Amino acid sequence: MAEYLSETTNKAGPVAAKEELLDECESIWKQMEECQSKLMLLGTETLPPSDAKLYLLMLQWKALTVDFHQWQKRNPELISTNPDVLLELGKEELQKVKNDLEMVLSIVQSKNKHLEEDLKREQQWYEEQKQMLETLNKIEEEVNSQDEHPSTESLKIGELNELKTKILKLKTFKKELLTALGGFLDEYFPCPERGENIKEKNSSAEPVVELITLQEILEMLINTLLATPHEPYITINESFWPPYIELLLRCGMALRHPEDPMRMRLQAFHK
């Protein structure tokens, strides 16, 4: 009879093993229900009128102590000794471990990607600073050589004067552009506090944050990009009017930080 049962179990495969495991679980559950019903039949003891809470705590402590000693003496037992059941359980555990490892791998790859992007930005900033340092060193060498040889300096006076003239023209043109841009922004994109924020001031008892103009936002973006090209992002706070932020993003003039939506930067048009 035992040989017949073993042959049928081996033929059934994983399906029979799973059914066998379910049967064993149901039998264990029935035993637990029988023990619970026996405990219910014992009834409850009448507590003494004085120190009832202390009495309940003592009973609970005794029960926990008994459970503690039993768990110390007990050795872990397998639910089933059937190799098919153990094989299926092992497969499930390995699949869970595989899924967890794949999730960890994807997180690590994402972090590595962000680190590579940061490294590229830092390397680009380093190259720019290196080129700037080389240019300054060349200028310093030329100035030193001019101090040593006054005759060569006299030959470049005309070039220096021409260069100064070009710089003055560029400064004048820059000032005109900024003035024209400021006038355009003041006319078509005024400070939102003048019109849109009046209702909010009248309805709220708390002091309203003063909103800044679109020109001030653009100046902050440009100055941050020029001052720290390796970290050109600015933080969006309550003084930024949301429609102006949305306008800059939709027009492609600004970009949000890939990880922090409350930070943005100016589009690098010079690259």
Side-chain angles (χ1 to χ4, degrees), residues 82-211:
N82 191 337
D84 293 332
V85 175
L86 297 177
L87 179 62
E88 289 298 318
L89 291 175
K91 287 181 179 179
E92 291 182 0
E93 290 297 325
L94 289 176
Q95 186 65 32
K96 290 179 181 179
V97 173
K98 178 186 175 184
N99 295 335
D100 294 339
L101 291 176
E102 288 178 351
M103 183 170 59
V104 172
L105 179 61
S106 63
I107 295 172
V108 172
Q109 289 177 347
S110 177
K111 289 185 177 180
N112 288 337
K113 184 178 180 181
H114 291 306
L115 290 175
E116 289 177 357
E117 293 176 356
D118 294 339
L119 179 61
K120 289 180 180 178
R121 287 198 297 268
E122 293 294 334
Q123 288 178 346
Q124 183 178 0
W125 177 80
Y126 171 74
E127 292 296 332
E128 292 175 357
Q129 297 298 320
K130 187 177 178 181
Q131 292 177 2
M132 186 181 300
L133 181 61
E134 291 177 355
T135 304
L136 292 175
N137 290 332
K138 290 180 180 179
I139 294 174
E140 184 180 4
E141 291 177 358
E142 291 178 358
V143 171
N144 293 332
S145 63
Q146 288 175 2
D147 293 337
E148 294 176 357
H149 304 285
S151 58
T152 58
E153 182 179 359
S154 60
L155 296 176
K156 296 183 179 179
I157 291 177
E159 296 179 359
L160 290 176
N161 291 331
E162 185 179 356
L163 182 61
K164 289 180 181 179
T165 305
K166 289 182 179 180
I167 291 174
L168 289 175
K169 289 182 179 179
L170 287 175
K171 288 183 178 180
T172 305
F173 183 65
K174 175 185 176 183
K175 187 176 181 180
E176 292 176 356
L177 282 179
L178 292 177
T179 303
L181 178 61
F184 176 80
L185 294 176
D186 289 338
E187 181 179 359
Y188 295 100
F189 300 96
C191 182
E193 188 179 4
R194 298 172 185 170
E196 281 74 1
N197 210 19
I198 295 177
K199 296 182 180 179
E200 185 179 354
K201 283 187 176 180
N202 296 332
S203 61
S204 176
E206 299 180 356
V208 180
V209 178
E210 184 177 358
L211 301 177

Side-chain angles (χ1 to χ4, degrees), residues 235-246:
T235 303
I236 303 172
N237 52 35
E238 296 179 356
S239 62
F240 288 69
W241 198 38
Y244 283 167
I245 301 301
E246 189 67 22

Side-chain angles (χ1 to χ4, degrees), residues 237-262:
N237 52 35
E238 296 179 356
S239 62
F240 288 69
W241 198 38
Y244 283 167
I245 301 301
E246 189 67 22
L247 176 64
L248 294 175
L249 294 174
R250 289 192 176 184
C251 293
M253 298 181 65
L255 298 173
R256 286 191 187 274
H257 195 279
E259 297 180 357
D260 188 1
M262 297 305 295

Side-chain angles (χ1 to χ4, degrees), residues 48-59:
S50 61
D51 298 334
K53 187 175 181 180
L54 178 61
Y55 182 73
L56 289 174
L57 290 174
M58 290 296 294
L59 289 178

